[in-house]
Amino acid sequence: TAAITTYDFGGTNVLQADSFTYCLTEPGTYNLKITSLGKNGCKGIYDFPVPIVVWPKPHSDFNWTPDVVTTSDNQITFNPMSKYGPITSMNWIFSGTGISGYDSTNVKNPQRTFEDAGKFPIMLIQRTDHGCIDSVIKIIEVMEDMNVFIPNSFTPNGDGLNDVFNVKGLGFKQEGFSMELFDRWGHSMFFSKDVTKGWDGTVKGVIAQDGVYIYKIRAVGINGEGRKEYTGHVTLMK
């Protein structure tokens, strides 16, 4: 009767036991050597005749493009990745999409649209040709895009209606905002970095002539992304 039985899988994977459950955590091929030492000092060595092959999990991962996602992005493309393969099947589970708020697909590079801002978990499950399965969950943050309204005309006649040319909308912040107006010869008529301050149609206290003026507006999204520049024409009519 053996007093001590040693199981050597190679390297540091060595243990002594009579009956056991052991997990080989690293992929590879292991040659098991069993050594028994009897109470009388007799020693026996047995080489397990069949190598033990541990196939790796895929080590799943994924990313998406564009990196920064807003509610105005028509299609977000998801790209699967794996450390080991080949990958024979995959399944995506999305939240924040579909009529019910979630859906799934086995397409390799699915595309999805997010209409609502928020943080949504996305899961990818992959299987290798040896049946090894791995999954990964990531959170995609969908940010509210800028919704900018720029009027095409204004009437600075003092009647309290549409007297000032200014910008309205959602999703942009004070920092990084600027607005400048030019006449048709490119002369600057008005400049402001205050989103609440519009052009009242005057230049150095004198009302400008009726006509078409060029605006250049820069805005930055509340989330710090989505820097945009708007250039166009506005008509001044007294």
Side-chain angles (χ1 to χ4, degrees):
T1 301
I4 301 175
T5 304
T6 303
Y7 298 86
D8 185 352
F9 294 90
T12 60
N13 297 293
V14 180
L15 70 157
Q16 294 179 344
D18 292 327
S19 177
F20 66 95
T21 299
Y22 186 65
C23 180
L24 294 166
T25 58
E26 295 296 327
T29 300
Y30 296 85
N31 296 297
L32 174 60
K33 178 179 292 187
I34 304 172
T35 303
S36 60
L37 180 63
K39 293 182 179 180
N40 57 6
C42 296
K43 184 177 182 180
I45 298 176
Y46 173 71
D47 291 319
F48 195 72
V50 180
I52 300 172
V53 179
V54 179
W55 298 106
K57 290 184 177 182
H59 287 239
S60 298
D61 197 3
F62 64 90
N63 60 23
W64 53 82
T65 52
D67 295 336
V68 178
V69 180
T70 69
T71 53
S72 68
D73 292 318
N74 292 327
Q75 294 287 350
I76 311 304
T77 302
F78 291 85
N79 311 297
M81 297 178 288
S82 62
K83 185 177 180 180
Y84 299 103
I87 302 298
T88 56
S89 68
M90 64 180 60
N91 187 38
W92 297 87
I93 302 174
F94 294 94
S95 63
T97 62
I99 297 175
S100 61
Y102 68 91
D103 72 307
S104 62
T105 182
N106 57 8
V107 174
K108 181 179 180 181
N109 296 100
Q111 293 183 321
R112 289 296 184 272
T113 299
F114 296 85
E115 296 181 355
D116 299 320
K119 296 181 179 181
F120 305 101
I122 311 297
M123 173 181 281
L124 170 63
I125 305 170
Q126 295 186 111
R127 180 191 295 266
T128 68
D129 57 340
H130 292 286
C132 299
I133 301 174
D134 193 19
S135 63
V136 59
I137 297 176
K138 286 188 171 182
I139 305 296
I140 184 171
E141 182 175 3
V142 181
M143 294 175 287
E144 188 70 55
D145 192 26
M146 285 184 286
N147 184 7
V148 179
F149 172 72
I150 304 173
N152 56 19
S153 65
F154 73 117
T155 56
N157 54 18
D159 64 355
L161 299 174
N162 198 27
D163 283 332
V164 179
F165 173 74
N166 54 16
V167 176
K168 296 181 180 180
L170 299 171
F172 59 92
K173 60 183 180 179
Q174 173 69 55
E175 295 80 6
F177 175 86
S178 68
M179 179 171 68
E180 190 166 11
L181 277 295
F182 305 87
D183 64 17
R184 60 181 177 174
W185 295 281
H187 301 134
S188 179
M189 311 294 285
F190 173 83
F191 178 81
S192 175
K193 289 187 176 181
D194 186 347
V195 70
T196 65
K197 183 180 179 181
W199 185 36
D200 63 1
T202 64
V203 180
K204 296 181 179 179
V206 179
I207 191 74
Q209 295 181 353
D210 287 8
V212 176
Y213 295 85
I214 302 167
Y215 62 76
K216 182 178 290 186
I217 297 169
R218 294 184 176 91
V220 179
I222 290 176
N223 48 52
E225 303 290 344
R227 298 174 182 270
K228 293 186 177 181
E229 182 174 300
Y230 305 86
T231 302
H233 300 83
V234 59
T235 301
L236 186 157
M237 298 180 296
K238 293 190 288 290

